């Protein structure tokens, strides 16, 4: 049985992640989505919130499992008896970071290979950070994330200052300058 791990932050899961998960779940017998605890990032959603959202988004896929891991990806793979990592490639900008990570992981665990799945063209621009930015300014999230993820983002940012207030401030400054 071919098992693969798809690691990431998923803060939050987007339609781009989901497209990749659906395609990888057809390639491998068993796909483990692992939310890696990244000590350098300060996530918007807690681990529990991210797990709940991913589980809901992949509930139609019966060979996909969701877990979290705090530590090195190579140790996570070893614990799951897994020798394949799946990562997504959107643009050249992803390449440098991804190749560095896959080569480091191969040095740490020579029996671990990284398989890259290229993004569907319609999601090539899409990242969790873009989605958080649109949500912060209360933009339409429909093209980017499942509806229930959009609701969670709206809840997170419901207290954020509406952009209109900032524009008014800008206008006031301009008028004062006259
Ligand atoms: P990380 O912090 O590990 O980069 P992300 O959640 O941002 O975590 O991404 C996890 C993986 O999903 C990465 O391999 C990334 O390239 C891939 N990915 C993210 N967005 C997309 C997308 N729109 N299309 C394809 N792959 C994507």
């Amino acid at each position: 049985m071919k098992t693969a791990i798809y690691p990431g932050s998923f803060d939050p899961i987007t339609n781009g992640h989901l497209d990749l998960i659906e395609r990888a779940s057809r390639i491998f017998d068993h796909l483990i989505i692992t939310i890696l605890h990244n000590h350098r990032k300060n996530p918007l959603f807690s681990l529990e919130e991210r797990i709940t959202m991913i589980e809901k988004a992949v509930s139609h896929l019966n060979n996909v499992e969701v877990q979290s891991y705090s530590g090195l990806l190579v140790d996570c793979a070893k614990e799951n008896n897994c020798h394949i990592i799946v990562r997504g490639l959107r643009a050249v900008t992803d390449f440098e970071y991804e190749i560095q990570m896959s080569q480091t992981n191969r040095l740490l665990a020579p029996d671990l290979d990284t398989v890259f799945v290229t993004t569907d063209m319609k999601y090539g621009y899409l990242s969790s950070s873009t989605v958080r930015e649109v949500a912060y300014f209360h933009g339409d999230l429909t093209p980017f994330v499942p509806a229930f993820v959009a609701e969670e983002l709206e809840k997170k940012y419901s207290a954020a200052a509406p952009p209109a207030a900032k524009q008014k401030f800008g206008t006031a400054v301009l008028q004062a300058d006259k």
Side-chain angles (χ1 to χ4, degrees):
M1 185 160 98
K2 283 254 176 291
T3 299
I5 291 184
Y6 176 35
S9 308
F10 307 103
D11 187 32
I13 186 162
T14 69
N15 290 339
H17 290 128
L18 258 181
D19 173 66
L20 195 141
I21 291 165
E22 281 171 359
R23 287 157 64 206
S25 77
R26 291 197 291 269
I27 300 171
F28 301 103
D29 302 308
H30 182 203
L31 185 69
I32 305 174
I33 303 171
T34 303
I35 305 176
L36 284 181
H37 171 72
N38 186 335
H39 63 95
R40 278 167 304 168
K41 284 190 180 175
N42 184 18
L44 175 67
F45 289 99
S46 70
L47 268 181
E48 293 70 27
E49 288 172 323
R50 282 178 279 163
I51 289 176
T52 305
M53 283 189 283
I54 300 175
E55 277 177 344
K56 198 163 172 182
V58 303
S59 59
H60 59 298
L61 303 169
N62 55 19
N63 62 340
V64 177
E65 182 189 336
V66 189
Q67 60 171 226
S68 65
Y69 192 80
S70 182
L72 285 175
L73 180 56
V74 289
D75 294 329
C76 172
K78 215 175 283 172
E79 281 176 30
N80 283 286
N81 197 21
C82 172
H83 304 281
I84 308 164
I85 302 296
V86 178
R87 293 285 290 178
L89 278 183
R90 281 162 294 188
V92 182
T93 41
D94 279 342
F95 183 78
E96 219 164 314
Y97 172 70
E98 294 292 343
I99 194 105
Q100 197 179 10
M101 204 165 71
S102 79
Q103 286 173 345
T104 306
N105 285 335
R106 263 182 69 72
L107 270 175
L108 294 171
D111 61 347
L112 190 61
D113 272 298
T114 305
V115 171
F116 293 104
V117 177
T118 52
T119 183
D120 186 296
M121 272 199 312
K122 61 180 185 283
Y123 300 125
Y125 65 91
L126 188 54
S127 68
S128 298
S129 57
T130 305
V131 167
R132 292 196 300 272
E133 190 70 6
V134 173
Y136 178 81
F137 289 107
H138 308 300
D140 179 15
L141 296 165
T142 316
F144 312 129
V145 291
F148 67 89
V149 175
E151 278 170 30
E152 294 306 317
L153 279 159
E154 279 155 17
K155 276 189 226 160
K156 286 276 177 201
Y157 287 122
S158 60
K166 290 185 181 145
Q167 277 162 16
K168 270 188 212 145
F169 176 71
T171 310
V173 171
L174 280 180
Q175 282 170 349
D177 279 349
K178 273 184 191 165

